[in-house]
Amino acid sequence: PQDKLQKNSKGLSDFCIKNIKQAEFGRREIEIAQQEMPGLMILRKRAGGEKPLAGAKVVGCTHITAQTAVLIETLVALGAQCRWAACNIFSTQNAVAAALAEAGIPVFAWRGESEDDFWWCIDKCAAADTWEPNLILDDGGDLTHWLYRKYPSLSKKIKGVVEESVTGVYRLYQLSKMGKLCIPAINVNDSVTKQKFDNLYCCKESILDGLKRTTNVMFGGKQVVVCGYGEVGKGCCAALKALGAIVYVTEVDPICALQACMDGFRVLTLGEVVRQVDIVITCTGNRNVVEREHFDRMKSGCMICNMGHTNTEIDLASLRTAELEWQHLRPHVDQVVWPDGKRVILLAEGRLLNLSCSTVPSFVLSITATTQALALIELYNAPQGRYKKDVYLLPKKMDEYVANLHLPIFEAHLTELTDDQAKYLGVSKYGPFKPNCYRY
Amino acid sequence: PQDKLQKNSKGLSDFCIKNIKQAEFGRREIEIAQQEMPGLMILRKRAGGEKPLAGAKVVGCTHITAQTAVLIETLVALGAQCRWAACNIFSTQNAVAAALAEAGIPVFAWRGESEDDFWWCIDKCAAADTWEPNLILDDGGDLTHWLYRKYPSLSKKIKGVVEESVTGVYRLYQLSKMGKLCIPAINVNDSVTKQKFDNLYCCKESILDGLKRTTNVMFGGKQVVVCGYGEVGKGCCAALKALGAIVYVTEVDPICALQACMDGFRVLTLGEVVRQVDIVITCTGNRNVVEREHFDRMKSGCMICNMGHTNTEIDLASLRTAELEWQHLRPHVDQVVWPDGKRVILLAEGRLLNLSCSTVPSFVLSITATTQALALIELYNAPQGRYKKDVYLLPKKMDEYVANLHLPIFEAHLTELTDDQAKYLGVSKYGPFKPNCYRY
Amino acid sequence: PQDKLQKNSKGLSDFCIKNIKQAEFGRREIEIAQQEMPGLMILRKRAGGEKPLAGAKVVGCTHITAQTAVLIETLVALGAQCRWAACNIFSTQNAVAAALAEAGIPVFAWRGESEDDFWWCIDKCAAADTWEPNLILDDGGDLTHWLYRKYPSLSKKIKGVVEESVTGVYRLYQLSKMGKLCIPAINVNDSVTKQKFDNLYCCKESILDGLKRTTNVMFGGKQVVVCGYGEVGKGCCAALKALGAIVYVTEVDPICALQACMDGFRVLTLGEVVRQVDIVITCTGNRNVVEREHFDRMKSGCMICNMGHTNTEIDLASLRTAELEWQHLRPHVDQVVWPDGKRVILLAEGRLLNLSCSTVPSFVLSITATTQALALIELYNAPQGRYKKDVYLLPKKMDEYVANLHLPIFEAHLTELTDDQAKYLGVSKYGPFKPNCYRY
Amino acid sequence: PQDKLQKNSKGLSDFCIKNIKQAEFGRREIEIAQQEMPGLMILRKRAGGEKPLAGAKVVGCTHITAQTAVLIETLVALGAQCRWAACNIFSTQNAVAAALAEAGIPVFAWRGESEDDFWWCIDKCAAADTWEPNLILDDGGDLTHWLYRKYPSLSKKIKGVVEESVTGVYRLYQLSKMGKLCIPAINVNDSVTKQKFDNLYCCKESILDGLKRTTNVMFGGKQVVVCGYGEVGKGCCAALKALGAIVYVTEVDPICALQACMDGFRVLTLGEVVRQVDIVITCTGNRNVVEREHFDRMKSGCMICNMGHTNTEIDLASLRTAELEWQHLRPHVDQVVWPDGKRVILLAEGRLLNLSCSTVPSFVLSITATTQALALIELYNAPQGRYKKDVYLLPKKMDEYVANLHLPIFEAHLTELTDDQAKYLGVSKYGPFKPNCYRY
Ligand SMILES: NC(=O)c1ccc[n+]([C@@H]2O[C@H](COP(=O)([O-])OP(=O)(O)OC[C@H]3O[C@@H](n4cnc5c(N)ncnc54)[C@H](O)[C@@H]3O)[C@@H](O)[C@H]2O)c1
Ligand SMILES: NC(=O)c1ccc[n+]([C@@H]2O[C@H](COP(=O)([O-])OP(=O)(O)OC[C@H]3O[C@@H](n4cnc5c(N)ncnc54)[C@H](O)[C@@H]3O)[C@@H](O)[C@H]2O)c1
Ligand SMILES: NC(=O)c1ccc[n+]([C@@H]2O[C@H](COP(=O)([O-])OP(=O)(O)OC[C@H]3O[C@@H](n4cnc5c(N)ncnc54)[C@H](O)[C@@H]3O)[C@@H](O)[C@H]2O)c1
Ligand SMILES: NC(=O)c1ccc[n+]([C@@H]2O[C@H](COP(=O)([O-])OP(=O)(O)OC[C@H]3O[C@@H](n4cnc5c(N)ncnc54)[C@H](O)[C@@H]3O)[C@@H](O)[C@H]2O)c1
């Protein structure tokens, strides 16, 4: 797509996507998504008079899906200008990108970018002749770090960055520790509404979907090992067990391991179980969790996939040896064949399964996206000095506000504290209802 | 028992319990409990040479059960002197109290204390001729506050208090806020190993047990409302749903409410569902959650119980009116009859159901008890000045240590981070593995 | 009790029980049970005018619990005379037996009968000076076979037997095959309302209760093997898994084994898993399923219990050897100690755990009991010749009637077929709704 | 496709499919399916020497998927000649049909047939110049009835029909009742290995898959009503509940209704719940279960789909009125819009959701397919007179054999009865293990 000049119906061409002609189909997908994203839609409605993001120039780097499109268009509705790139080379929904381009939003992304394309797209968003971003919305930290390294002076002028992923947040804390963070950052990843909803509930549903769409595997009776029992791992394990799989867990953290035990999963090392399992799932956020020695011991037909942010969890390089044959079976499904005929099925080349091979329910994403929008508004409008060059969590009250915006869809009715009860508990009637250390 | 002088087999009589003759039976219960309390037993073993609590004088006020007996005897094995009272008038296991008395530990507690007895027992532990405590282990804060009010000078000499319950911790934070806390306090209640294990897993199992033992109710198809979807509520809901009950939730906090929705529970107000449910369970830590107007709308046969710390969650006073007849059916089971014949079943007079009417699995309590023991050791041995007059959480590393001590019972095997992975994640190979804000 | 002459308040002494003074307490238990047994209570109401069992003389041999008391008194209300013995030496609720005796029903049973007592009681019911039974209600077949062997001429005059248990039914089919059955028999055990409710749902709830009351074991993370994946096994497995246990299954039948696989349980032989499990549960209806070689391989602390009808499933005799020490820990809890200190916990001496060590929810029993009552009415009133000397199932329509009587308690509302739909399905609007081979 | 003459690579053209060029892709799908269909593959292996179906001419009418292809090719491997049509106009996998055609099997089917096409295809299979079938494999009964009506003389020469579906079996029993059945029929639908596996487990997994692929709906917290609590309904309910949906059930049969209650589902009429639900699922095998009056009361955004065999469960005709606008959203997703803007989402035009919109796990289908193959072999080789003009179930021993063939994939190990145990239970050591009335 880099070489192909496309124009949208208004004659604009400041974008780079697969095919502008898919715009209409993408628009329909965005409309469907809107109906399950109540938080953002209410924010838009309230924008009526005010434009809390007027003058904001948001550069974004996220998965490009119908749901992020709803977020981007919400930011625009709130007054912002946006430029957007993809944070993952496989997850872009081309039609959605087309719909955004058609709507006049400069978007640079397509499914199946090369490594070079990826950075080229980011660069196109980061800097342009007439564009100096003042806010960053990032998922993974690639954009933030590109700006840092390539446009150090520019990056200093930025009002703040909102980061969603474990990895990206980790990189920000590293910078902060080393005293190298030069702008305020809001860590959306550790908001309870992100961590407990997006990571847990979203992965709970999408692990099943991703596996089914790629392999039609039956879950009942299948033996599965899940590496990592954090939020993502908890979601994957719960769903697989609920459908009749026999699930084993690996962990490094004794507390998470004990939770796995109490929840009814055997905790073993990968070496101990890898021989007997039908499916291996990584969700540690770590690297080289599945290595060649594990592959060599898997049984024929074993499937491997990753739910963590990066494709480093599985050591794929170790499979690129002469005696192993790689066969491409279906989109996102590869088969690696051992000399003795043993075959192992690799999904999405080790990239994040659910974003590559399934779609994610809009509702869960609505929670994160609403949090992101609120975080950008907060950073943009905060009085000088409220945020230093540090990493912040959103105030709990905002977390509760985000949750509240998502209750009506369930026809859920909250109880209100009486004055007497509020006093007894020592909290305000209108929240925040819990101390900061509360874990949910 | 106050009036009856009893002597143990060594002729000691510094205790007040129901019946010293039950000591042997109680001892057997303690031995059974030991086998499921690996954390404490390992601590004892390590005490071999050292006595980290030598010189410590611990005054305790907790439920008196086989499990706390294992804790108390562990403290003694580690060098401490102990005096103990019950934090609940119904939960004392008389035989266990007898076994402790027989072992020479001054214990003042029996099942069915009056309100006066309760404070008398606490007073007997707090102060004695030859006894000045220097550490407090409290559950609910009653002991701490008695010491504060009655023995202000004494209480200033205390090295610290370890508090387990929501309520007690809340009272400590109140004191701290008002600048009235005059000793360091360790909040064990908010340790992840307490909150996620004791509150969640323990209540998950014991809500079923408490209801069954008192009423033999069948869970399949029963409609139940659970007030409060915190850790205790989550445990109760999960267990009841797992056994086929239809569960409704009430909440004041939108985040917890949204979790309930996603977990498959309808969130409504008590007024909306109270007419149709068979069982009402409170676990809010709040007061007057079930009021007379709710009782008036319940259907005949409805059962009400409380899993929160205090018996204020249910407004029982409102049922003490002339037209309602109270009938005592079985131990811990009362029936209130309306003039039209409608009857409502009240369990444990609104006190904590599981501690009154069932026993709690030793294993889950082992986790909390090990944490309490470590907290006492920490307070006692901390260098001057490490702990100010404030409320502290245990360092995460100790939480992880506690978890680790409890894995072998499940034959669980932890994975060890490689150097490379530890570096990638930016953590030590030996923990702590998570940032402090991590929610588990 | 055989030697002690007791009289009820009306001066009658034609019964043999533990203690007539417990009658009042037993009566209260019966009243509580009535409230969860809607099927029987409706039958009684309808009896108003008619007495469908007038002239019937029912000799019964079942577990003697509050729930069977409701059944017995329903039979009486419907016109029958009854004499009753216990089918299990441990399961009698003494207070309930007292209440029945007080109500003038000749009952011969107490908890803890010896083998001799057991047969003596049965004999007292089978034949008496002024009593010739014309109907049998049996659970296990012991009564039926006693009558057969001891009173052959009497047994020929009987109108029929209603049998509830797997074992008893099996014995009837054996007799029938050998041409030795001399009366009609109704097999209540294989009624869908018995098999799918009593065996499945009842055991699902009561396995947890039985284990908790005897051992306070925590289920989360425990490894359990369940022998037999029939209805009882399915119920046990479902409940244990739901509370976080890791469950293994043994089976001889490949169809049941495949169901276990699909439901998420590993199917292995007992020899393969016995080393690693914390709990062994038998529910095969078979004998010598757990043998000495298995005991020798269990780990220390392992618990063993039986949910099948007879105590032959576990080969206890094999544990009565010189080198093993038996210790009685609590009621229904024995410990067998190996020379090396290994100890194994045996519950209820291998008899049916839930009937010995817990109570069973009245509601589930109401279904079976209503079916039994209907079967007795059917046998007693059937026109000459409808039932030959064979084993019969109740007509499906009656099964559906029993189910219908139990729906209101759940506020469940049935849909009614339209004429058009009934025609389309080829069934009557009012049932039966399924072919006889339908499995539910 | 009717008008387009296609040839396979061997020059044959006796087939009618979408596109022969997709054969290679279809072949790969068949190969993948083979790996999860152990039962059929073992049957093939054993065919080595013998050809139990030599001379058999099987005319088939089933869903045409990779899995049925494995079955068809197994029949061929066992000696049969086959001609095949689709039993559903939407469920054909075109590539698979191409692969079969390429392999020389006359197949007449494509996705999206018209009503006329459908019967044309069946007719092409039923009769051809050089072809007189002697066995029928049917799913739904359309083929059987076409033969009956159109080729009465031919149909009399047929050795038997193997029928899989509820509907088809019902039609056979009708014929039989009316004395019009002129060939033996084997009812595979009521084999336990069909009913309990295909209907229950298959639908359990595929309801989720079908809904996700078409709508990406999030299940957590969604309110769903499932019409019919038979095997299919039980599977759907279990899966949806397991993923956090709140499920209501409608039923006409009190026994199934009571099961739903005990399993934790509220049983209500459709009229009572239709206002509040997000999803309506029919699986009754009945007609006009969802009618216009229900549609009129649904909330906006409500989704409707059918898991029953025919598309008559939902009264779609009633939605074809002037004031309602139909919009086609995505493949298999239509939206009906009310004048006030309310929109209702209809999936697969009311046809069987999982076969139209998802794929079905090969493993579950392997069980049914193996049963079908064994039934055909049985009918073809049965000695004259064993089967009359009636409807038969497969002998239980064969059911057990089928189950046995599917255990190794789970590494499941059966226990073998000892001689002593077999005698005690009164069964053969090698099965059948259960009486015919056993329900599993
Ligand atoms: N697929 C998605 O939609 C999605 C959504 C959210 C997050 N994520 C990604 O998933 C990953 C996990 O996220 P999370 O929220 O669960 O994080 P988490 O920190 O809660 O959980 C990760 C767990 O893995 C464990 N772990 C680390 N190294 C391990 C090893 N070598 N072996 C076994 N266990 C190990 C850690 O102890 C931790 O408990 C991250 O990379 C995150 O960005 C993916
Ligand atoms: N039974 C036991 O064994 C046991 C064990 C641990 C804790 N507890 C006690 O249980 C109580 C709850 O503990 P927790 O850890 O779940 O606390 P928590 O704070 O996690 O949960 C309490 C929940 O109740 C909600 N709530 C407050 N007032 C409410 C109202 N009026 N209506 C509905 N919801 C309301 C809160 O929002 C909160 O989410 C405490 O009193 C605690 O001491 C009991
Ligand atoms: N505890 C109770 O409340 C209760 C209630 C109902 C029935 N029961 C009793 O429980 C027993 C089982 O009843 P059910 O309805 O489940 O019967 P069932 O026939 O449905 O199940 C028993 C299962 O055990 C399997 N089996 C037989 N021998 C075996 C062996 N050696 N190893 C492994 N598996 C073996 C059989 O194949 C069968 O599937 C019977 O004795 C019955 O009387 C008890
Ligand atoms: N989607 C699939 O993959 C699949 C698989 C197997 C069967 N099926 C089809 O699904 C349908 C159901 O199959 P099954 O095995 O569950 O049959 P079933 O007979 O076990 O269950 C159907 C249930 O619907 C109930 N019912 C009938 N009319 C009703 C009404 N008006 N309202 C509410 N409930 C009503 C019946 O009482 C019965 O319990 C059949 O048409 C069958 O062919 C589909």
Side-chain angles (χ1 to χ4, degrees), chain D residues 376-425:
Chain D
L376 288 171
I377 295 172
E378 173 70 14
L379 279 175
Y380 191 65
N381 295 290
Q384 186 76 17
R386 178 184 291 171
Y387 294 100
K388 317 267 179 302
K389 291 165 183 181
D390 210 341
V391 189
Y392 293 88
L393 288 174
L394 262 201
K396 183 173 291 293
K397 191 127 193 190
M398 273 196 201
D399 258 4
E400 292 177 354
Y401 181 59
V402 170
N404 219 322
L405 294 175
H406 289 85
L407 286 175
I409 213 174
F410 297 107
E411 300 185 29
H413 304 157
L414 277 187
T415 300
E416 204 175 271
L417 287 175
T418 63
D419 293 327
D420 179 47
Q421 291 179 326
K423 206 174 135 210
Y424 179 77
L425 293 180

Side-chain angles (χ1 to χ4, degrees), chain D residues 201-245:
Chain D
Y201 294 112
C202 174
C203 292
K204 182 172 164 190
E205 302 212 355
S206 57
I207 180 67
L208 300 180
D209 197 27
L211 285 169
K212 275 278 192 220
R213 290 200 205 203
T214 46
T215 68
N216 295 317
V217 67
M218 182 199 61
F219 297 116
K222 283 286 179 301
Q223 297 193 55
V224 185
V225 61
V226 173
C227 300
Y229 199 68
E231 296 299 336
V232 174
K234 285 179 175 75
C236 293
C237 288
L240 289 161
K241 184 181 179 185
L243 285 195

Side-chain angles (χ1 to χ4, degrees), chain A residues 37-55:
Chain A
M37 302 188 79
L40 293 175
M41 299 315 282
I42 297 180
L43 284 187
R44 280 195 208 184
K45 236 184 252 161
R46 302 204 177 154
E50 280 178 281
K51 298 270 175 205
L53 289 175

Side-chain angles (χ1 to χ4, degrees), chain A residues 165-167 189 194-195 198-199 202-203 206 227-233 250-253 256 283-287 289 306-310 313 352-355 360, chain B residues 415-417 421 425 433-434 438:
Chain A
S165 76
V166 170
T167 325
N189 182 71
K194 161 71 173 61
Q195 209 179 66
D198 195 305
N199 299 25
C202 173
C203 291
S206 57
C227 301
Y229 200 67
E231 296 299 335
V232 173
T250 75
E251 251 300 342
V252 299
D253 178 336
C256 295
C283 35
T284 65
N286 201 343
R287 59 192 301 249
V289 172
N306 169 43
M307 291 287 286
H309 185 73
T310 61
E313 304 217 6
L352 212 136
L353 178 75
N354 58 339
L355 284 167
V360 168
Chain B
T415 301
E416 202 175 274
L417 287 176
Q421 289 179 328
L425 294 180
F433 296 98
K434 298 287 191 317
Y438 190 77

Side-chain angles (χ1 to χ4, degrees), chain B residues 315-335:
Chain B
D315 182 7
L316 288 187
S318 73
L319 292 178
R320 299 282 182 193
T321 56
E323 79 279 24
L324 303 187
E325 192 193 336
W326 283 62
Q327 300 171 347
H328 188 64
L329 289 189
R330 296 179 187 163
H332 299 300
V333 185
D334 289 288
Q335 177 164 281

Side-chain angles (χ1 to χ4, degrees), chain C residues 415 417 421 425 433-434 438, chain D residues 165-167 194-195 198-199 202-203 206 227-233 250-253 256 283-286 289 307-310 313 352 354-355:
Chain C
T415 300
L417 286 176
Q421 290 179 328
L425 293 180
F433 296 98
K434 299 287 190 320
Y438 191 76
Chain D
S165 76
V166 170
T167 325
K194 161 71 172 60
Q195 209 178 66
D198 195 305
N199 300 25
C202 174
C203 292
S206 57
C227 300
Y229 199 68
E231 296 299 336
V232 174
T250 76
E251 251 298 344
V252 299
D253 179 335
C256 296
C283 35
T284 65
N286 201 342
V289 172
M307 290 288 286
H309 185 72
T310 61
E313 304 217 8
L352 211 135
N354 58 337
L355 284 168

Side-chain angles (χ1 to χ4, degrees), chain A residues 434 438, chain B residues 199 228 230-232 250-252 284-286 307-309 354:
Chain A
K434 299 287 191 316
Y438 190 75
Chain B
N199 300 25
E231 296 300 334
V232 173
T250 75
E251 251 299 344
V252 299
T284 65
N286 201 342
M307 291 286 286
H309 186 73
N354 59 338

Side-chain angles (χ1 to χ4, degrees), chain B residues 1-5 16:
Chain B
Q2 282 192 41
D3 311 321
K4 193 172 60 172
L5 184 76
C16 185

